[in-house]
Amino acid sequence: MNTKELQYFMKVCEEQSINKAAGKLFITQQGLSRVIANLEKNLNVKLLERNARGVFPTEEGQYLYEKCEKLICMLDEIEAGMKQMANRRKRLTIGYACGVMHAFSFQLIQKYKSEHREMEITCEEFLNQELIDKITQSEIDVGFIIGKNSSGELVKEQLTERQMVILVYPGHPFYEKDGIYIRELENEPLIMLGERSFLYYEFQRMCRQCGFEPQIVVKTMESAMTRKLCREHVGIGLDVDFELEETALEGIRKIPIMDHLTWVVQMAYRNDSRNFSNIKEFAAYIEQNM
């Protein structure tokens, strides 16, 4: 029994005629009769009765007709699912939130691609929440997200956690401090990554918890610009404590934020796809090489 046989049977019941149903299905009357006969043989029941008024389902036929729509949907879903699983073995879609690649080398993914040339592997950058949504909706297989997402639909594996720092220029009152609390930043002109960054929203949230709105004077696209503007005394910078060469910090000093404000990178994928071979193998590779 397959979806084609069930669809043919349903059409006969609806048209109450083998001849009319065959015409609408674009097959011969004899061909349709053979399909119905084969279905009756497989189920070992008589499904249709013929009389002067036409063709009508038997009690068993009526029962099958009432179940047909659900059966067809279920069989189509199974077939589509099997095809999708087969296709998954041949492809892998990877997403990463803006800024994540500061935490580890993209060469790690490139190496995996070179070792799995039989797979179609694509990578794309997204805003953090956009990426989380795409993973949840199965548009992205594996994503590298920022922050400790609480969605129960996703498997999250923490890869790294970095402290947040304030960048200060010589002569600023904070320059000699060993640590700074967020409440001390009230009314300070701040330079930081803009709306594309998870940090932008998380920092504002914590400032509001301390009872003030941060005075962000410049929103940048990259950390290098934050450092440059800090050197020019436009304001003090807010950034992630990446492992930078000394030359990158020339003329400024980084001071840790003492509040629990950290930059966490997690690898995330859907719970129901955790055993898919393409995702399972890639996740294991990342864990072993981070």
Side-chain angles (χ1 to χ4, degrees):
M1 182 169 60
N2 55 47
T3 55
K4 190 175 182 180
E5 289 177 335
L6 293 175
Q7 287 167 343
Y8 283 8
F9 169 72
M10 287 183 72
K11 182 58 71 176
V12 172
C13 292
E14 289 161 3
E15 296 297 327
Q16 298 179 358
S17 164
I18 295 281
N19 190 37
K20 287 181 182 178
K24 293 199 173 180
L25 293 168
F26 302 102
I27 63 171
T28 64
Q29 183 177 344
Q30 294 82 359
L32 181 54
S33 294
R34 281 196 297 271
V35 170
I36 299 300
N38 187 58
L39 188 57
E40 290 179 325
K41 181 180 178 182
N42 288 338
L43 294 174
N44 197 29
V45 293
K46 188 172 179 61
L47 297 172
L48 297 171
E49 290 180 328
R50 296 163 178 79
N51 59 35
R53 292 183 294 114
V55 179
F56 300 91
T58 61
E59 183 179 354
E60 292 84 356
Q62 184 62 35
Y63 176 81
L64 178 61
Y65 178 80
E66 290 170 0
K67 301 292 182 183
C68 264
E69 192 169 349
K70 286 184 179 179
L71 276 171
I72 290 169
C73 287
M74 188 180 297
L75 289 170
D76 284 344
E77 186 179 334
I78 290 170
E79 185 178 357
M82 297 300 284
K83 286 179 180 177
Q84 187 180 37
M85 289 177 73
N87 288 334
R88 277 187 178 277
R89 297 190 186 98
K90 301 174 186 176
R91 66 171 178 81
L92 182 68
T93 56
I94 301 168
Y96 51 94
C98 298
V100 158
M101 286 306 159
H102 288 295
F104 63 94
S105 173
F106 192 76
Q107 293 302 316
L108 195 61
I109 295 176
Q110 290 293 84
K111 184 172 183 289
Y112 187 83
K113 289 176 72 172
S114 68
E115 293 173 357
H116 295 78
R117 296 186 183 278
E118 76 285 358
M119 292 180 67
E120 179 189 347
I121 301 175
T122 59
C123 304
E124 190 172 350
E125 185 178 49
F126 299 94
L127 296 176
N128 196 57
Q129 188 56 53
E130 182 185 10
L131 175 57
I132 292 168
D133 292 341
K134 285 185 175 292
I135 300 168
T136 303
Q137 294 160 12
S138 298
E139 294 177 30
I140 293 290
D141 294 320
V142 182
F144 297 99
I145 64 174
I146 302 172
K148 296 183 178 180
N149 183 269
S150 59
S151 171
E153 293 183 66
L154 303 181
V155 176
K156 285 91 59 181
E157 299 175 24
Q158 184 168 316
L159 300 178
T160 186
E161 183 171 11
R162 303 290 177 89
Q163 190 173 23
M164 303 305 303
V165 294
I166 293 296
L167 304 174
V168 185
Y169 52 84
H172 190 280
F174 292 162
Y175 192 76
E176 299 298 333
K177 291 176 74 72
D178 294 323
I180 293 175
Y181 288 94
I182 287 177
R183 63 176 179 271
E184 297 178 76
L185 299 176
E186 186 173 4
N187 299 321
E188 284 289 338
L190 299 168
I191 308 158
M192 64 181 297
L193 295 170
E195 288 87 348
R196 289 178 62 84
S197 166
F198 170 81
L199 171 61
Y200 177 80
Y201 301 100
E202 186 64 9
F203 176 69
Q204 289 191 84
R205 183 186 67 80
M206 293 194 72
C207 288
R208 290 178 187 127
Q209 285 182 347
C210 293
F212 70 95
E213 288 290 332
Q215 187 181 334
I216 302 171
V217 293
V218 180
K219 292 180 281 188
T220 66
M221 293 288 287
E222 55 183 27
S223 296
M225 181 57 68
T226 301
R227 296 193 296 272
K228 179 180 184 296
L229 295 177
C230 181
R231 288 190 192 94
E232 295 174 359
H233 296 202
V234 174
I236 59 176
L238 177 71
D239 206 355
V240 181
D241 188 11
F242 294 119
E243 296 172 3
L244 299 171
E245 295 180 5
E246 288 300 318
T247 53
L249 293 170
E250 187 176 346
I252 54 177
R253 181 168 178 257
K254 63 180 181 181
I255 303 170
I257 293 178
M258 305 306 290
D259 306 79
H260 187 66
L261 176 61
T262 57
W263 191 82
V264 176
V265 175
Q266 294 184 312
M267 178 168 57
Y269 44 91
R270 282 182 59 89
N271 244 316
D272 57 9
S273 66
R274 65 192 308 160
N275 290 319
F276 290 170
S277 59
N278 59 340
I279 294 175
K280 194 174 181 179
E281 289 172 14
F282 179 72
Y285 168 82
I286 292 295
E287 288 175 11
Q288 289 166 9
N289 289 278
M290 278 297 290

